Amino acid sequence: SIVAIKGAMLPIGYPGSVAEEYMQYQLWDTLQVMMSELRSIIIRQANLIGLGIGLANASPMGTVLTDCAVEVLGTCLGLFSGMTADPRGSAAAMKSWRIYNTISSIARCLLTLVNASFPRRRFYTRCAITTISNLMAPRGAGASEAVVMHLSKNSLSPAFIADVESKESNQDRLLGLLLLPARIGLIFWVGTDVINAWSVAILLSGLHIILNAMAVRVLVLKTFNNERLRQVLTAWEIGNKAPAQLTPSLIASRERLIPDIFPKDWEVDLGVALDQALVALNKNESSAEWLKLLLNKHQKDAYVLGACLSSRRLRVVLKEGADDEAQLMACLHAHKVAKVLRTTPLSSYTLSGAVNVILSTKKNVQVEWPILQANLEMAGWNITKEAMHSGRSCILNPGPQRMKYQLKQE
């Protein structure tokens, strides 16, 4: 019945229990899964050909030995990735990592086609596929979890989160069944023609990327990552200060899925050690007096803003007890400083100049922050005092360093 199908395909309590854009997201997500399912039949055939099926000199023992060697490589790479990967990055930049994960899956598919064309080189293509998979999967794992959390309205119920994830899988399974005739027809049409196989795989892969981009673009997140915060601060600086100009949906439409490959000068590093807060362009120049001045002027703040002139980066030292509000204020402060320093000639970079810009803009931040916070809250961002204090307003992934003394009270 309709009720049974709905119960199997939609989360409990739909539509009130899930994000407002749930169904719009599922439309694009279903289309991208369709491209992946259609492509998979071509890739499966290519994988069989790559195993040596049909080749006179192919042997099961050779295949087993190749797989054993590749498994050893995969295990070593998996251990390395498990020790070095930080999935918080993909959770924070969920939309970008959705695209990166899609590109990774396409690369593995195309390498499988290469394997089918050159089965005697199977060891090398399998090593390449395994390398990509083991290096990308641990780093991108946070993205898929972040999507489920958002769709479930950041529910604290493990059972409901599992239900949302389960219904996602059910939708994919049903689509797979419905596409079975199309997949069979496609494989009969392609046959063993290499050109047809490559053409179909490239076409479906292109659509796969586009539809994944469309799927994540409709998601409206109400917490700040680096990209969304950058968009908000840019809008604020150019005069779009009304709540209607700062809504999460409007910012989502401007959010870049692929950030700059080469970061701009004077981007900010959050959570650095105190001895890295202020670094001169000339290593022989002492920064001790200027750092002492910065610490004195930031006594009542939960952060200290400094700069590294040699790398042209702004540095933020967070104090013990600093919450999301401290991080957001520091980013607003850094945004204002960066705007000034980017117009300063390289030959004019001095510690005194950087410190003067930091201190002069600090006064503006103290005036503007309460207004910005109130407007963002009215616009719909999860930026209440309670949310900021409990760490639910932003995912900026600051470094672990904190100043080891309590904040001074006003």
Side-chain angles (χ1 to χ4, degrees):
S1 67
I2 299 297
V3 175
I5 294 174
K6 182 179 178 181
M9 295 296 120
L10 296 174
I12 296 171
Y14 172 85
S17 61
V18 293
E20 294 179 6
E21 66 274 18
Y22 179 87
M23 193 52 69
Q24 189 180 3
Y25 166 80
Q26 290 300 339
L27 169 64
W28 293 111
D29 187 58
T30 298
L31 290 174
Q32 69 87 12
V33 171
M34 183 185 300
M35 299 303 108
S36 179
E37 289 285 336
L38 290 173
R39 185 185 60 198
S40 68
I41 193 69
I42 306 296
I43 302 306
R44 287 185 185 181
Q45 177 181 252
N47 192 44
L48 291 173
I49 296 173
L51 286 171
I53 294 177
L55 293 178
N57 60 347
S59 68
M61 182 58 70
T63 300
V64 170
L65 291 175
T66 296
D67 286 347
C68 285
V70 172
E71 186 175 346
V72 171
L73 173 65
T75 301
C76 294
L77 288 173
L79 288 172
F80 171 76
S81 288
M83 292 186 292
T84 59
D86 185 357
R88 294 184 308 162
S90 61
M94 173 260 288
K95 296 184 180 183
S96 297
W97 270 93
R98 176 69 171 262
I99 303 301
Y100 301 155
N101 287 336
T102 303
I103 293 173
S104 172
S105 73
I106 290 172
R108 297 195 301 271
C109 289
L110 296 181
L111 283 169
T112 304
L113 288 175
V114 171
N115 184 31
S117 300
F118 305 97
R120 290 182 177 82
R121 300 289 183 267
R122 180 172 181 269
F123 175 74
Y124 303 106
T125 53
R126 287 277 291 137
C127 284
I129 292 169
T130 301
T131 299
I132 293 172
S133 178
N134 281 278
L135 292 181
M136 290 292 292
R139 289 166 173 77
S144 56
E145 295 300 322
V147 171
V148 174
M149 286 296 296
H150 173 70
L151 294 177
S152 64
K153 285 186 172 180
N154 294 308
S155 171
L156 298 178
S157 168
F160 181 68
I161 294 172
D163 181 63
V164 172
E165 198 164 9
S166 174
K167 299 306 166 58
E168 286 263 309
S169 299
N170 287 347
Q171 293 165 19
D172 294 346
R173 293 187 188 101
L174 178 60
L175 180 61
L177 286 174
L178 295 176
L179 286 175
L180 189 58
R183 295 169 71 193
I184 293 174
L186 182 61
I187 197 62
F188 271 107
W189 178 77
V190 171
T192 57
D193 188 291
V194 174
I195 295 177
N196 284 348
W198 275 92
S199 300
V200 171
I202 290 173
L203 174 62
L204 293 176
S205 295
L207 292 172
H208 193 204
I209 293 179
I210 293 171
L211 292 170
N212 265 290
M214 298 300 294
V216 294
R217 186 165 286 283
V218 303
L219 296 177
V220 179
L221 287 88
K222 298 180 181 179
T223 55
F224 289 110
N225 65 359
N226 289 311
E227 172 62 16
R228 289 189 289 278
L229 183 57
R230 188 188 71 84
Q231 293 289 347
V232 164
L233 295 180
T234 299
W236 180 261
E237 284 294 321
I238 64 176
N240 296 330
K241 301 181 184 295
Q245 299 294 322
L246 300 170
T247 61
S249 57
L250 187 60
I251 296 301
S253 67
R254 299 172 182 167
E255 190 174 353
R256 299 175 303 172
L257 299 185
I258 304 296
D260 294 329
I261 298 176
F262 302 104
K264 295 181 180 179
D265 289 344
W266 304 114
E267 296 290 346
V268 64
D269 297 320
L270 284 170
V272 304
L274 182 60
D275 60 356
Q276 297 297 313
L278 197 61
V279 180
L281 190 61
N282 184 351
K283 293 183 179 180
N284 296 323
E285 184 179 358
S286 174
S287 60
E289 289 300 319
W290 294 110
L291 180 58
K292 184 178 179 180
L293 176 61
L294 284 176
L295 289 172
N296 182 55
K297 295 297 185 180
H298 285 84
Q299 274 189 358
K300 296 181 180 180
D301 302 305
Y303 71 93
V304 178
L305 179 62
C308 177
L309 300 188
S310 58
S311 64
R312 282 176 276 181
R313 303 278 298 182
L314 294 171
R315 303 275 179 85
V316 173
V317 177
L318 295 173
K319 299 180 182 179
E320 278 190 339
D323 56 13
D324 284 359
E325 183 172 20
Q327 296 179 40
L328 293 171
M329 283 188 69
C331 288
L332 173 62
H333 193 176
H335 184 81
K336 290 183 173 296
V337 173
K339 185 178 179 181
V340 176
L341 292 181
R342 284 172 185 152
T343 61
T344 304
L346 180 61
S347 58
S348 301
Y349 288 161
T350 61
L351 282 180
S352 61
V355 170
N356 287 333
V357 172
I358 290 170
L359 296 182
S360 63
T361 53
K362 183 175 180 294
K363 300 174 183 178
N364 295 332
V365 171
Q366 291 171 334
V367 172
E368 289 185 23
W369 168 248
I371 303 171
L372 175 59
Q373 188 266 330
N375 284 6
L376 289 175
E377 187 176 344
M378 285 190 288
W381 293 94
N382 188 28
I383 197 174
T384 62
K385 290 290 184 181
E386 179 187 0
M388 289 190 291
H389 184 68
S390 59
R392 293 183 286 112
S393 293
C394 59
I395 317 174
L396 301 177
N397 294 337
Q401 302 292 337
R402 298 292 183 272
M403 289 183 66
K404 300 295 184 181
Y405 57 82
Q406 295 296 321
L407 301 178
K408 294 187 177 182
Q409 300 297 321
E410 296 218 39

